[in-house]
Amino acid sequence: MLLLGSVYTQDHGRILIHLLKGNAFVWNVEDARKIREQHGVVGNLVGALVRKPRQNTRLGLPLQLLPEEARLLVEIGAATLVCSRLQESAPPKHDGLPMDITNISTTVDEEDSKTNAEAYAQFLHDSYEEQRQLALQEKRRTLESLAEHIAEGRSKRKRQRGEQEELGGSSSQGPIKEVQNLEKTIHFPEEAMMVQIPTAQTHLGNVEEVDVHQVSSDWPYSGQKNHEMRYKVFRDLWQKGFFLTSGSKFGGDFLVYPADPMRFHAHYIAICFPQAEEIALSDIITVGRLGTNVKKTVLLCSSNQEGSVTYTSLQWSGLQ
């Protein structure tokens, strides 16, 4: 089913999560903010900053989501998985013969590019006019606040030149006149305009909705035992009010935070195991030591077929 992205968002109010080779991305800044503030899902910023592209200390959009994060947002009705599709149409016939589909495809691409270019040019024009009006208002406020000082300065210069001031308060007419003619005299070059660089396309074109419960090239996780196990643990911890991020840097599946990671350190390292699988003693010792070294409690997590999750915590206490 093909849906027009912008119309779909307005009608349903859902966040659009774009899939690319199995990876989930959110490009809209308002959607990224909503995901974190309203739904308690963190994600990971992976885009370079426009002004500082040669560093990776601070990153920007897009926001990349774990498969478990993307699926959770879809199942709670907050988001929709979509992937872009090239517009396909049956080749029309010309003089009884089918036309070259390459020429058709090129024509469609050129028309879309022209439409996008016109829309972006109109966006720049509207932005320039808005910024010019803001500059005009700021200039008018400045002149009005300095009107008395300007009048005094002009009167002083006239007295120094020995000129007699005209009656009727001519010294106060200068600033007032300048304010009245400010609309015509203000100079706001286009080079001084602040240009907003969009991270999301203003016209998405045709996008296809992806079902998280069906295996496809865009979503290969459905039915995988490891994904199903991780998702049950992720959903259960999220429902308990925890914030979760990827735990790969600490040798686990998830890092578990008591609240937003911007304010707290992780308290737990969640490691998922199948319920019926035996865990080697060496693995238990390894993860126990790991948690102690990073000052976190290790959670061994397993789920059954009904979806209930069992947790076992490990803390290395040593000999006493």
Side-chain angles (χ1 to χ4, degrees):
M1 179 175 59
L2 293 179
L3 301 169
L4 186 62
S6 57
V7 175
Y8 187 87
T9 304
Q10 294 175 359
D11 292 344
H12 296 263
R14 294 185 180 180
I15 298 166
L16 290 182
I17 302 176
H18 298 263
L19 294 177
L20 179 63
K21 297 182 180 180
N23 298 311
F25 299 98
V26 175
W27 290 90
N28 187 281
V29 62
E30 294 300 329
D31 290 344
R33 180 181 300 175
K34 184 187 301 183
I35 286 173
R36 190 175 191 122
E37 295 179 354
Q38 298 184 12
H39 304 295
V41 175
V42 181
N44 184 32
L45 293 171
V46 296
L49 297 180
V50 176
R51 294 184 179 274
K52 296 182 179 180
R54 298 181 180 273
Q55 54 84 37
N56 59 3
T57 304
R58 297 179 181 273
L59 299 176
L61 293 175
L63 179 73
Q64 184 173 5
L65 301 176
L66 295 172
E68 294 77 21
E69 293 174 324
R71 178 176 172 181
L72 175 69
L73 291 171
V74 171
E75 291 194 352
I76 65 176
T80 302
L81 294 182
V82 297
C83 60
S84 299
R85 289 286 184 262
L86 295 177
Q87 190 173 10
E88 297 179 359
S89 58
K93 295 183 179 181
H94 179 68
D95 294 336
L97 297 175
M99 295 178 63
D100 187 2
I101 193 170
T102 304
N103 295 334
I104 298 173
S105 182
T106 303
T107 304
V108 172
D109 292 341
E110 290 177 352
E111 292 178 355
D112 291 342
S113 299
K114 184 178 179 180
T115 302
N116 292 336
E118 292 176 352
Y120 185 67
Q122 183 63 38
F123 166 77
L124 290 179
H125 176 74
D126 295 341
S127 178
Y128 172 78
E129 291 298 329
E130 180 181 1
Q131 294 183 46
R132 185 178 182 277
Q133 290 300 320
L134 292 174
L136 177 64
Q137 296 173 10
E138 181 65 24
K139 185 69 173 179
R140 180 177 286 111
R141 285 195 296 267
T142 302
L143 288 175
E144 291 175 350
S145 63
L146 298 176
E148 295 182 1
H149 297 283
I150 295 174
E152 292 176 0
R154 289 179 175 174
S155 298
K156 184 177 180 180
R157 286 195 298 271
K158 286 183 178 181
R159 288 194 298 268
Q160 290 176 351
R161 291 196 300 265
E163 298 179 0
Q164 184 179 5
E165 296 185 14
E166 297 179 2
L167 298 177
S170 61
S171 60
S172 62
Q173 295 299 316
I176 297 177
K177 183 178 180 181
E178 292 175 1
V179 170
Q180 293 175 348
N181 297 332
L182 190 60
E183 178 72 32
K184 299 179 180 179
T185 59
I186 188 172
H187 177 62
F188 185 72
E190 293 187 1
E191 294 78 9
M193 179 181 69
M194 296 179 63
V195 179
Q196 179 183 2
I197 301 178
T199 59
Q201 294 182 359
T202 55
H203 300 278
L204 293 177
N206 290 324
V207 292
E208 181 179 354
E209 184 175 352
V210 178
D211 189 354
V212 295
H213 301 291
Q214 294 183 0
V215 180
S216 65
S217 58
D218 301 299
W219 185 257
Y221 309 105
S222 181
Q224 293 182 3
K225 293 183 178 180
N226 186 54
H227 170 71
E228 296 297 331
M229 175 183 60
R230 284 168 51 95
Y231 176 69
K232 291 176 182 178
V233 173
F234 182 92
R235 181 183 60 188
D236 187 73
L237 289 172
W238 177 81
Q239 289 176 341
K240 295 179 185 298
F242 292 102
F243 282 63
L244 292 90
T245 63
S246 174
S248 58
K249 291 184 179 180
F250 290 85
D253 290 290
F254 305 109
L255 289 181
V256 185
Y257 298 80
D260 195 300
M262 294 292 291
R263 301 175 58 192
F264 295 90
H265 290 288
H267 286 190
Y268 306 101
I269 302 175
I271 303 177
C272 303
F273 288 97
Q275 191 174 38
E277 181 179 313
E278 294 184 358
I279 305 174
L281 182 59
S282 59
D283 292 338
I284 295 178
I285 296 174
T286 299
V287 297
R289 281 182 148 179
L290 173 64
T292 302
N293 290 336
V294 296
K295 298 180 180 180
K296 303 183 192 312
T297 300
V298 174
L299 289 181
L300 302 181
C301 315
S302 59
S303 62
N304 56 21
Q305 295 294 333
E306 288 75 21
S308 62
V309 183
T310 303
Y311 301 98
T312 303
S313 62
L314 292 179
Q315 286 184 325
W316 189 266
S317 58
L319 298 176
Q320 296 181 357

